[in-house]
Amino acid sequence: MDIGMKIKKLRVEKGITLKVLGTKSELSVGFLSQLERGLTTIAVDSLERIAEILDVHLTYFFDYPVKRKDKILRSYEQDIFDIEEGSSINYCLSTNLEDKQLIPRLIELLPQKSKEEIIPYMHEGEEFVYILEGILTIYIDGESYDVYPGDSIHMNSNVTHNWANYTNKKVKLLAVNTPNNFYNKNKNQHE
């Protein structure tokens, strides 16, 4: 079941209208309707607001890899962490995120169909990004930079940032983030 369907299922079960969810989440009813029908994707910070409103943990919306005992993750065993329809595929590069601080991902960023507005965001923690292939355009604190294979970015995540692929080829990058909000929030909910 995709994210939009899970939101709709929870919303209906809890008797919350699209209008109420829109008001509380500060998202338009039209956007939420499209999201529930699988016609658009949602940023993690907006999804986190919806999770709080629906009283579930953010991980409810994702099918995370099962915790495994082995330490080595073979390339053919990589699980998809998240798919943002039409824009990226995120692979989890860990056999177990439960007791870790870092979230390592391999991201394949697909070419954007148009130069739509990129909305920068910020969050706690830090990020490391290493470009494996393609040309990534990254926005940091209002500035735009093109980064190439072999280039890296290491920054505090509390500055506004975002990225885009304005080329006609896939961009592949390694991203490592802290903190591990998926584990920490889930842990706090069960204590």
Side-chain angles (χ1 to χ4, degrees):
M1 185 180 309
D2 72 4
I3 291 171
M5 291 173 66
K6 288 180 180 180
I7 290 171
K8 183 174 184 176
K9 180 179 182 286
L10 272 176
R11 180 181 63 75
V12 170
E13 285 174 2
K14 294 180 182 283
I16 298 173
T17 66
L18 272 176
K19 185 175 181 179
V20 170
L21 184 59
T23 301
K24 288 183 176 183
S25 66
E26 300 177 352
L27 298 169
S28 74
V29 171
F31 172 80
L32 291 170
S33 175
Q34 287 184 349
L35 178 63
E36 288 186 352
R37 291 181 286 141
L39 302 176
T40 191
T41 59
I42 187 169
V44 173
D45 57 337
S46 297
L47 184 60
E48 193 167 20
R49 284 196 311 266
I50 290 174
E52 288 175 19
I53 294 162
L54 297 175
D55 197 31
V56 294
H57 184 267
L58 183 63
T59 57
Y60 172 85
F61 298 108
F62 300 98
D63 298 322
Y64 287 101
V66 176
K67 180 178 168 183
R68 296 171 32 183
K69 292 179 183 178
D70 47 340
K71 304 289 183 222
I72 297 176
L73 180 70
R74 303 290 178 196
S75 61
Y76 54 85
E77 297 174 319
Q78 293 171 1
D79 288 317
I80 293 178
F81 190 69
D82 183 28
I83 297 176
E84 293 184 32
E85 192 173 316
S87 64
S88 68
I89 303 169
N90 296 267
Y91 298 90
C92 181
L93 297 180
S94 176
T95 58
N96 176 10
L97 290 176
E98 186 173 284
D99 59 353
K100 308 296 186 287
Q101 291 302 307
L102 302 172
I103 299 177
R105 298 172 295 151
L106 174 66
I107 300 173
E108 294 179 354
L109 194 58
L110 306 174
Q112 287 190 224
K113 294 179 180 162
S114 65
K115 279 206 170 188
E116 58 196 43
E117 182 183 1
I118 300 298
I119 300 169
Y121 62 97
M122 66 174 90
H123 51 90
E124 65 178 291
E126 66 181 286
E127 294 184 35
F128 174 81
V129 176
Y130 182 84
I131 309 305
L132 298 167
E133 67 181 65
I135 302 168
L136 179 73
T137 300
I138 189 159
Y139 298 91
I140 304 172
D141 244 357
E143 297 290 326
S144 167
Y145 306 91
D146 286 337
V147 286
Y148 301 88
D151 292 350
S152 61
I153 302 112
H154 190 188
M155 65 182 186
N156 289 326
S157 302
N158 61 357
V159 299
T160 58
H161 61 284
N162 207 337
W163 58 43
N165 177 3
Y166 294 128
T167 70
N168 62 357
K169 296 185 179 177
K170 172 175 64 176
V171 173
K172 191 182 261 188
L173 56 98
L174 173 67
V176 182
N177 300 71
T178 66
N180 182 347
N181 287 329
F182 299 105
Y183 170 68
N184 293 333
K185 286 186 179 178
N186 201 21
K187 179 181 173 189
N188 291 338
Q189 283 187 348
H190 296 304
E191 290 179 346

